[in-house]
Amino acid sequence: MRLRSHYNLHKAFPRYESRRYVTVNTLDLTLAKEKACKHFRAHAHEYQRAFRQYATRRYKCKPSAVRFAPIDESLHRIRAAVLDPKSEDCYGWTEGQTIYVSSALPMAFEQLVGTLLHEELHCFCRVRGRYLSADSEHHCMRVVGEEC
Ligand SMILES: [Zn+2]
């Protein structure tokens, strides 16, 4: 899994255009964490705007009721992601603390970066102290440009 020289940081989510799918190893994960952190830092406000806009409409609450984890906490969670060899039905998952990335399913590098971002976006937003539903979070991810 080699890093693409024309990797696009400008979009809020990486484009999944590579056709080279490989089983993720520790080195891939380390490289992807760095990309995902750069990506998250560059687009955090865009993510927040999308989630806040959705949540204030959906829950009819004030913008101040929508809270986000500090960016450092998000970056820390991305950097602390671990491989999960048992995850055979999803690319990544999280219980809200640790991000797990499948080392059982082959994926492309952009997809790996996207998986880290995706899982962090399940962890970073709360409305009146509670997480949104996974469906709502997925909706917001599509708003910022995640490909299905
Ligand atoms: Zn998800």
Side-chain angles (χ1 to χ4, degrees):
M1 196 179 279
R2 192 122 44 93
L3 239 114
R4 293 155 60 92
S5 54
H6 56 288
Y7 188 91
N8 189 352
L9 259 183
H10 299 298
K11 305 259 184 194
F13 254 92
R15 307 281 298 273
Y16 300 161
E17 51 197 15
S18 167
R19 299 215 180 91
R20 200 161 164 270
Y21 297 92
V22 270
T23 308
V24 181
N25 63 32
T26 316
L27 176 62
D28 300 325
L29 184 62
T30 305
L31 295 173
K33 284 175 182 177
E34 282 315 301
K35 280 289 175 199
C37 283
K38 268 191 193 152
H39 228 106
F40 196 93
R41 211 195 308 264
H43 297 283
H45 293 292
E46 205 174 327
Y47 302 145
Q48 291 182 1
R49 201 181 320 127
F51 275 73
R52 188 181 292 114
Q53 210 166 62
Y54 174 86
T56 49
R57 274 190 214 141
R58 174 86 167 72
Y59 300 97
K60 299 187 174 34
C61 63
K62 291 180 184 167
S64 60
V66 186
R67 293 295 187 73
F68 298 96
I71 289 184
D72 284 349
E73 194 184 305
S74 290
L75 299 180
H76 175 78
R77 226 176 345 245
I78 291 171
R79 287 202 184 96
V82 294
L83 291 176
D84 178 9
K86 293 198 192 102
S87 184
E88 289 172 347
D89 51 359
C90 57
Y91 291 113
W93 62 279
T94 179
E95 82 294 69
Q97 286 291 325
T98 303
I99 293 172
Y100 297 87
V101 174
S102 174
S103 59
L105 297 174
M107 59 184 121
F109 186 76
E110 296 87 341
Q111 210 176 354
L112 173 55
V113 176
T115 298
L116 290 167
L117 292 169
H118 180 108
E119 296 311 324
E120 177 48 32
L121 293 177
H122 276 307
C123 302
F124 92 134
C125 177
R126 289 178 203 222
V127 181
R128 299 191 191 106
R130 304 179 64 175
Y131 290 114
L132 310 184
S133 70
D135 281 349
S136 298
E137 290 167 338
H138 288 156
H139 169 84
C140 295
M141 293 178 207
R142 284 193 298 274
V143 167
V144 296
E146 186 184 32
E147 296 172 33
C148 299

